[in-house]
Amino acid sequence: MNSFYPAFLFLTIFSWLSSEVIGVNDRDSLVSQRIYQVITNDFACFRRMNATHQIGCSSKNGGNVGVIHLADSQANIDWIVNKGSHAPYIALLYVESFTSEILGLLQSSSNRVNGVILLKRNDTSLPVSGYSPDLQCPNKGFGFYTRKTDTEESVCPKWNEPGEGILYQDWDFPIFYVSSDNSTKYLLDCYTTYNEPHSDGTPRDWPLCAAELDSFMFSAVDTPTCMRRNKLNEVSISPSRVCDPLGDANVWSTLIPSNQTKPHKNDSVIVIAARLDASSMFDQNSPGADTAATGITAVLALVKQLAPLKSLLQKSSNISNVYFILFNGESFDYIGSSRIVYDMKNDKFPFPAQNDTAASFPALLQMKHIKYYIELNQLALNTMLDSYYVHVNSNSSFYSTGYQTLMKTFGFHRFSIPLFEPTHGMGVPPSSLQSFLAEDSDFPGVVITNHDGQYRNKFYNSILDDVENIGYENVTSLTVTGIASLVATVAKAVEELIEGEKRPFASPIKLEPELVDDILQCYVKSPKCQLFQTVKNSSKLVFKDHDLPYPLYVAVKREINPQTILTNYVMSYYQGLEVNVTKDNCHRKDGVKIFEYIWVDERCYETTSSMTPAVSPAFDDIDNYPWMSGRYSTWTESIWSKLSVRIFLQPSKTHEIITLVSGILVFGVSIVLFSWINNNADNLFKSRIAEGVC
């Protein structure tokens, strides 16, 4: 007979009895679910690279494990790095302690520290001193004010005073941010119950509450290395990537359509712009309320406010068109704006020059065509006494001519909030305008902000640059009324520049705080807002439901963020004209790129709004780009497979050894029994054939 089956049956029964003896009663649960508690609403610090180095965080392959300890005082920090007897530790920090100094101290004790968890604030007030992981001079080394001397302050002032640069450092351990109250409470309760030292200062005994932080990054070293590894992997049996270039899409439109058979004249175009992205240390958590959202709101409101001026613009002999541009990837060395400047230089913006089909493509835009460039950047207001400031390169020829004209026009049409010329003498703040000035220092551009000198935004490019930071609640909030005033002022100024000396008798421009409120809430409160719900139905894409705003972090080259797509739909909706066609016919004709079409509220809209690549020319257009040239952004993002935080009770080493030895003994006994039963099966189990059973 085949003796395997009775032996296998006996072993199965033995294993089941053994599992009952050691107490594993719930056979429907996975072992990991019985051991670990997964922490939700966690956001991981991840790795990015540029041409020279890597920044960010990574765990070991399989994760880093350590005993959690709250580092809310100098004594507790000293416990982690010196006194504690249960190293390695996972440090729990609040944002007040999440500084370059403390993180550096933990990193210098990396043999005792295996990771950091940043906890949600335990109160509703923002840190008075501010918190920004970005540099004090964001995008230092790129744009107009590149490094020219050993004294960085002389060419790149400290615009962002709270900036500690921890976003741009390479950390030896994983760092996670836990944003929910429940997860924060769970971690603190676990620490208090099992880990908090006794009142006399002696440590707790095992078991202790421990955490596993898993954020292993596949890429390392720098961008040239990871791109080379990508190419090597392309020829493998199963192609894979280790990193992706940062990139997304720029969103743009024109007030009226154009085509390449009627090129723009020099000094005939007005450009109204803002940045579309923000950043932070953590994946999927870049709120960017003042960093980006206030500027986006202002530009979209201007699209809506200026839409009634189409017929006026078509008759104008002064201005041929008004462009609205939202640049993406500006947090990482001006990716979007530098790409558009590059495309302008090479007759590729918005689309490459055509010959036989020139009438089907929008007119090319070059820098020489631009008469005024107006950028809106960081516009939140905190008090009734706040103002806006119009920054310019004061060493340019534009300063003494066009800038003065623009300031007089703004002043003449000022609503409630005044616009002033800055007094700080610090030059042009970090902005998309920097990319244009780097190409031409006399470029006719200004940047309108809420700060004279250093940023008022104390949480630039951080997880705390949220709705609370800009003091926004509803349509009566100062930020809303301030942006509405600025939008109306700029719109009236543009109206006058279009009309020239003859001003329209009845202007459609007015204060519209409700419009600003409708837009701003979508970016800083919830994408479930009415405006986004209206326009997203025009897309065939499925948007995940989010209670919190979509992150404003730039995507990677092979993806486009939901926020970018929705912003394009809003711009299309505000700029477009309703056309009488069915839903099935509401689409662009093949080969014609002058118009796009969207279906919103059971209507078809014909619009000039579109998207162009926001990818650095270093990756997208220049063969064999010299990585060390420093001309264009070279940022890439590592690929990862898993980002997770789990906590569990960790026994002592002795307990672990006993468990391991017991398991080995049980396994050994099982093998011996299996072998013995298998060899003696004929004696233990009678054969049915031997008994004459057919």
Side-chain angles (χ1 to χ4, degrees):
M1 68 170 285
N2 187 343
S3 60
F4 171 79
Y5 294 105
F8 177 75
L9 177 62
F10 181 85
L11 184 59
T12 301
I13 295 172
F14 176 81
S15 299
W16 178 78
L17 289 172
S18 299
S19 69
E20 291 296 318
V21 170
I22 62 175
V24 184
N25 297 313
D26 186 6
R27 285 177 292 278
D28 294 329
S29 298
L30 296 173
V31 173
S32 63
Q33 292 176 341
R34 297 174 62 85
I35 297 175
Y36 297 102
Q37 172 66 42
V38 176
I39 298 299
T40 57
N41 297 109
D42 55 307
F43 303 92
C45 166
F46 56 98
R47 179 170 290 162
R48 284 168 280 224
M49 290 75 57
N50 66 8
T52 58
H53 62 286
Q54 67 183 28
I55 63 172
C57 316
S58 176
S59 71
K60 299 172 184 176
N61 195 356
N64 287 26
V65 174
V67 173
I68 65 173
H69 198 88
L70 182 62
D72 61 345
S73 66
Q74 187 58 49
N76 278 344
I77 294 172
D78 189 52
W79 181 281
I80 293 172
V81 300
N82 293 313
K83 295 180 180 179
S85 57
H86 299 126
Y89 288 98
I90 300 291
L92 306 181
L93 297 177
Y94 289 113
V95 70
E96 292 82 2
S97 302
F98 197 70
T99 64
S100 178
E101 180 183 359
I102 291 177
L103 288 175
L105 179 61
L106 297 176
Q107 177 149 282
S108 65
S109 308
S110 57
N111 60 321
R112 294 181 55 84
V113 179
N114 254 3
V116 170
I117 297 177
L118 175 61
L119 301 175
K120 186 178 181 182
R121 306 191 314 276
N122 56 0
D123 57 45
T124 57
S125 61
L126 292 166
V128 176
S129 59
Y131 159 69
S132 174
D134 211 312
L135 302 170
Q136 289 190 326
C137 182
N139 285 341
K140 178 179 65 177
F142 282 78
F144 181 51
Y145 299 107
T146 56
R147 186 181 302 179
K148 298 175 183 177
T149 71
D150 292 333
T151 308
E152 293 177 9
E153 287 75 14
S154 65
V155 294
C156 196
K158 294 181 179 179
W159 295 96
N160 182 32
E161 183 65 27
E164 295 205 45
I166 58 178
L167 172 63
Y168 289 92
Q169 295 183 45
D170 184 31
W171 302 104
D172 294 339
F173 42 66
I175 302 176
F176 279 78
Y177 169 52
V178 174
S179 64
S180 77
D181 292 325
N182 289 338
S183 293
T184 297
K185 183 178 184 300
Y186 201 98
L187 284 164
L188 292 175
D189 287 348
C190 195
Y191 164 75
T192 303
T193 303
Y194 295 99
N195 297 8
E196 188 174 23
H198 296 291
S199 57
D200 60 359
T202 58
R204 292 285 188 94
D205 200 3
W206 303 97
L208 297 171
C209 186
E212 178 196 82
L213 311 185
D214 194 349
S215 61
F216 178 68
M217 300 288 142
F218 293 160
S219 186
V221 185
D222 53 35
T223 288
T225 301
C226 84
M227 296 300 288
R228 185 169 61 251
R229 290 173 179 170
N230 280 351
K231 288 186 177 180
L232 290 174
N233 289 340
E234 287 175 0
V235 298
S236 66
I237 297 175
S238 55
S240 61
R241 301 180 315 280
V242 296
C243 71
D244 285 312
L246 295 187
D248 202 299
N250 294 317
V251 178
W252 67 277
S253 70
T254 56
L255 192 55
I256 58 175
S258 65
N259 67 73
Q260 292 185 8
T261 64
K262 297 179 180 179
H264 295 302
K265 297 178 181 178
N266 291 354
D267 300 325
S268 68
V269 169
I270 296 173
V271 173
I272 299 173
R275 64 187 292 175
L276 188 52
D277 71 296
S279 183
S280 79
M281 283 190 69
F282 303 99
D283 180 51
Q284 296 296 309
N285 198 306
S286 303
D290 196 24
T291 302
T294 53
I296 297 169
T297 298
V299 170
L300 292 176
L302 277 162
V303 174
K304 178 74 169 176
Q305 285 266 43
L306 293 173
L309 302 186
K310 290 186 175 76
S311 59
L312 182 69
L313 179 59
Q314 288 170 337
K315 300 173 185 176
S316 175
S317 59
N318 303 299
I319 301 297
S320 63
N321 217 329
V322 179
Y323 280 70
F324 307 93
I325 305 178
L326 293 169
F327 301 106
N328 222 327
E330 297 301 275
S331 295
F332 293 93
D333 302 338
Y334 306 121
I335 293 174
S337 58
S338 65
R339 174 57 185 266
I340 281 186
V341 170
Y342 174 85
D343 286 345
M344 286 181 178
K345 287 172 54 182
N346 292 279
D347 289 341
K348 293 183 177 181
F349 182 78
F351 302 105
Q354 307 293 315
N355 293 319
D356 297 338
T357 58
S360 299
F361 284 77
L364 294 170
L365 180 64
Q366 300 175 343
M367 288 177 61
K368 65 183 180 181
H369 299 149
I370 300 173
K371 185 177 182 65
Y372 294 108
Y373 170 99
I374 303 169
E375 183 172 346
L376 305 167
N377 188 340
Q378 296 189 49
L379 305 175
L381 299 182
N382 297 320
T383 72
M384 295 291 293
L385 300 177
D386 287 346
S387 305
Y388 290 119
Y389 298 87
V390 186
H391 304 263
V392 66
N393 176 20
S394 57
N395 295 320
S396 67
S397 58
F398 171 71
Y399 174 70
S400 57
T401 55
Y403 177 76
Q404 302 304 326
T405 301
L406 201 57
M407 289 300 292
K408 289 179 182 177
T409 309
F410 286 152
F412 183 79
H413 294 293
R414 191 195 87 184
F415 280 74
S416 56
I417 308 297
L419 280 73
F420 294 121
E421 180 176 345
T423 60
H424 57 75
M426 295 168 67
V428 177
S431 55
S432 302
L433 176 58
Q434 295 273 347
S435 294
F436 293 86
L437 291 175
E439 197 64 38
D440 178 7
S441 61
D442 286 325
F443 181 73
V446 299
V447 182
I448 302 177
T449 74
N450 59 11
H451 57 89
D452 183 352
Q454 293 179 341
Y455 292 168
R456 284 186 182 175
N457 181 11
K458 300 299 183 183
F459 306 97
Y460 177 82
N461 268 347
S462 82
I463 55 174
L464 300 184
D465 186 17
D466 55 14
V467 63
E468 182 182 344
N469 180 38
I470 63 174
Y472 170 55
E473 293 182 0
N474 52 46
V475 70
T476 63
S477 300
L478 277 175
T479 291
V480 172
T481 56
I483 294 175
S485 172
L486 177 62
V487 166
T489 298
V490 173
K492 288 286 290 183
V494 170
E495 182 183 46
E496 180 179 327
L497 293 171
I498 292 172
E499 183 68 8
E501 293 300 319
K502 297 177 292 181
R503 295 187 177 89
F505 176 76
S507 171
I509 308 301
K510 60 183 179 179
L511 277 173
E512 292 194 57
E514 294 81 8
L515 171 64
V516 172
D517 180 52
D518 288 344
I519 302 170
L520 186 59
Q521 64 180 286
C522 298
Y523 289 90
V524 301
K525 281 189 174 180
S526 171
K528 293 182 178 179
C529 62
Q530 182 60 48
L531 179 59
F532 274 7
Q533 294 302 310
T534 298
V535 301
K536 79 175 185 179
N537 293 329
S538 66
S539 171
K540 295 180 181 179
L541 300 176
V542 177
F543 293 90
K544 293 181 180 179
D545 282 336
H546 270 239
D547 291 324
L548 297 176
Y550 288 113
L552 290 174
Y553 175 69
V554 64
V556 292
K557 180 181 175 181
R558 57 191 172 88
E559 297 177 357
I560 297 179
N561 274 335
Q563 196 75 296
T564 303
I565 297 171
L566 288 169
T567 299
N568 180 45
Y569 290 155
V570 173
M571 186 176 284
S572 300
Y573 182 45
Y574 283 164
Q575 188 279 333
L577 288 174
E578 184 179 343
V579 291
N580 187 24
V581 299
T582 64
K583 185 175 183 179
D584 291 339
N585 293 319
C586 187
H587 58 79
R588 177 167 54 85
K589 298 178 177 65
D590 291 341
V592 179
K593 292 194 174 182
I594 293 177
F595 294 111
E596 297 287 345
Y597 295 82
I598 63 168
W599 185 262
V600 179
D601 269 351
E602 300 303 316
R603 302 180 186 90
C604 184
Y605 289 86
E606 182 181 69
T607 175
T608 62
S609 181
S610 186
M611 296 186 291
T612 57
V615 179
S616 170
F619 300 107
D620 210 36
D621 212 69
I622 302 176
D623 294 333
N624 300 316
Y625 176 74
W627 296 112
M628 304 305 294
S629 67
R631 182 67 183 87
Y632 295 107
S633 174
T634 57
W635 286 106
T636 53
E637 177 185 295
S638 177
I639 302 291
W640 62 80
S641 63
K642 181 181 180 183
L643 302 173
S644 70
V645 178
R646 305 190 297 181
I647 62 173
F648 61 98
L649 288 182
Q650 185 177 26
S652 66
K653 294 297 179 184
T654 303
H655 186 280
E656 289 178 339
I657 292 172
I658 292 174
T659 302
L660 176 62
V661 171
S662 300
I664 293 173
L665 289 174
V666 170
F667 179 73
V669 170
S670 300
I671 293 296
V672 171
L673 281 174
F674 182 88
S675 178
W676 182 82
I677 293 171
N678 192 52
N679 292 333
N680 295 277
D682 290 336
N683 297 325
L684 293 172
F685 305 98
K686 291 183 178 181
S687 171
R688 290 168 150 201
I689 296 176
E691 296 174 356
V693 180
C694 296

